[in-house]
Amino acid sequence: MVDISRTSAAMFLLVIVLFEVSLLTSLTRSEESEKTGVEEEEEEEEKEDRRSPLPAVDAAYEEEEEDEDGVHLLVLRADTLNKAIKEYHLLFVNFYSSHPASRLLDLEFSLAAETILRTQQQPEVRFARMASAEVDDGLRSRYRIGAAADGATVVLFRDGQAVRYDRDPRAADMAAWIRRKTGTTVAAVTDARTLERVAGQEVIVAVGLFKGVDQSEPLGYLRVAEEMEEEEPRIRFLVSDNARIFSHLGIHVRSAIVLLKKFDGGRAELTRDLTEAGIREFLRAETVACLVPYTRATSSFVRNHEIADRVLLFVRLMSRSSSSGDGSVETVEGFAEASKLHRGKVLFVIFDVDEVEGRKELEQFGSADECPLLVFVGPRVRRMPDAQSLNKDQIETFIRETYENKKDPEEYDVPKHLKTEL
């Protein structure tokens, strides 16, 4: 149940934020018109500083380290941990160790930091690392920090109060958890550049557009966002009343929900029935994937998708043409048509073996010489190599026969690592 007063307060705060952004932009333009020469150079340097998502490091702390993605993490020691907890309103700390599981969590932690900081979803959050072995027994007990032998422990300190992260150690889950804990389930977006950056990093982004409407529609959107924040698949929720965002998304009505996704056509819109029930029904229907192109951006989405049964198509996309005569075009079209018949039951994934990601996944099923290669992954694995010129009905037959356990010379056991890889 959503607290109406709390949600109304959130909407009021959003209006204030948008107004302040507009006012700040006007003041900045006024100041720039008066500056010349050396003053302009100094202002450019100050702008560079402001672009950084992190404030300057206090001299009392060790210099920040930069991970491979260019995200700066504050390095804490035994004598600076308490100071940082008191100084920073929101401090997210990875207490790492030499445990093998800690190395994996280190990567996910850095990706979560990048997601939050690079998209400026919560600029007040500071991210830090500290060796678990350096935490004394008193702090370890007080903040429920695991021993060095137990692997990494991630803790969010909010105004000195510690909340231990004990959920799925995935970057997307960490970022979503931080947004919930810091009250930023729905973030305001005011420029197309930020919107494109967020859409480029997330598999699914919902943008609520409301301008000159009563509060019932945006309040319903906020309620649905809070309700669906922890559900799979993960949705990143944004909201805007900015004319530039309306124009960028091609929306010419007063209110709409635009869903940007890296599958099934890439986009869906809701411009009618923007009630709470209507928004919920729209999002639930449009986020159930039929056909997903496998890329670096969608790999995590595919691996962690709740649908266990998948049909995979390995094909050369970059080098194929409609006149190549290899039948791959017809197979891709038939694959797309068949995917619509299994929405919510079977996930259809297409791999371009001309790309690095596609070639890597192909290694466990066959070779490029066998492409187009059709593979069913479920309770059993079944292959159809050289799957040229397949239409929707032929692919349907392949799936049906697989479920009916008909023997096939190409059938083989599921690799042990497969269920976590795809």
Side-chain angles (χ1 to χ4, degrees), residues 202-418:
E202 305 282 354
V203 176
I204 308 173
V205 176
V207 187
L209 301 170
F210 307 100
K211 190 171 185 178
V213 297
D214 62 66
Q215 288 194 356
S216 62
E217 291 180 354
L219 284 177
Y221 178 68
L222 289 178
R223 292 190 189 101
V224 174
E226 290 187 0
E227 174 187 325
M228 298 184 67
E229 177 71 14
E230 296 189 46
E231 295 184 7
E232 293 286 356
R234 297 291 186 184
I235 303 174
R236 180 72 186 103
F237 289 93
L238 303 176
V239 67
S240 183
D241 66 352
N242 190 286
R244 292 191 297 272
I245 300 298
F246 275 72
S247 176
H248 180 73
L249 293 173
I251 297 300
H252 305 290
V253 293
R254 295 170 63 188
S255 59
I257 307 296
V258 177
L259 195 68
L260 306 175
K261 50 187 180 177
K262 290 184 170 62
F263 54 86
D264 295 349
R267 173 171 171 150
E269 297 176 7
L270 178 68
T271 56
R272 296 181 179 180
D273 188 23
L274 268 71
T275 61
E276 183 176 340
I279 294 171
R280 183 184 296 106
E281 181 180 355
F282 166 74
L283 293 177
R284 292 199 192 285
E286 292 296 336
T287 54
V288 177
C290 289
L291 177 62
V292 184
Y294 189 87
T295 65
R296 182 180 180 183
T298 62
S299 59
S300 179
F301 174 79
V302 172
R303 291 192 190 101
N304 297 296
H305 204 282
E306 60 184 2
I307 296 177
D309 292 354
R310 289 101 186 275
V311 180
L312 318 177
L313 176 62
F314 294 90
V315 66
R316 293 185 180 277
L317 292 177
M318 290 179 62
S319 60
R320 79 160 204 263
S321 66
S322 58
S323 60
S324 63
D326 66 357
S328 63
V329 176
E330 292 84 351
T331 298
V332 170
E333 292 174 349
F335 192 73
E337 287 298 314
S339 71
K340 299 175 184 178
L341 303 176
H342 295 271
R343 181 187 289 271
K345 298 179 181 178
V346 180
L347 185 66
F348 284 64
V349 188
I350 187 166
F351 297 81
D352 183 0
V353 298
D354 286 329
E355 295 284 359
V356 175
E357 291 81 6
R359 288 197 300 273
K360 181 179 178 181
E361 300 301 334
L362 175 63
E363 292 174 358
Q364 53 189 325
F365 298 107
S367 67
D369 294 335
E370 298 177 294
C371 293
L373 173 63
L374 194 64
V375 181
F376 179 92
V377 178
R380 58 193 288 227
V381 171
R382 187 169 180 242
R383 303 184 336 133
M384 182 187 290
D386 197 27
Q388 298 180 11
S389 302
L390 292 183
N391 59 33
K392 177 188 69 175
D393 294 335
Q394 290 170 309
I395 294 174
E396 272 293 290
T397 299
F398 170 76
I399 295 172
R400 186 183 67 254
E401 290 180 349
T402 303
Y403 277 121
E404 292 174 353
N405 290 319
K406 291 191 175 181
K407 297 298 181 182
D408 189 287
E410 291 292 340
E411 182 183 339
Y412 61 97
D413 293 334
V414 180
K416 292 181 179 179
H417 63 289
L418 188 59

Side-chain angles (χ1 to χ4, degrees), residues 126-138:
R126 292 302 307 262
F127 289 82
R129 298 177 77 246
M130 180 175 177
S132 179
E134 294 191 18
V135 181
D136 62 47
D137 292 340

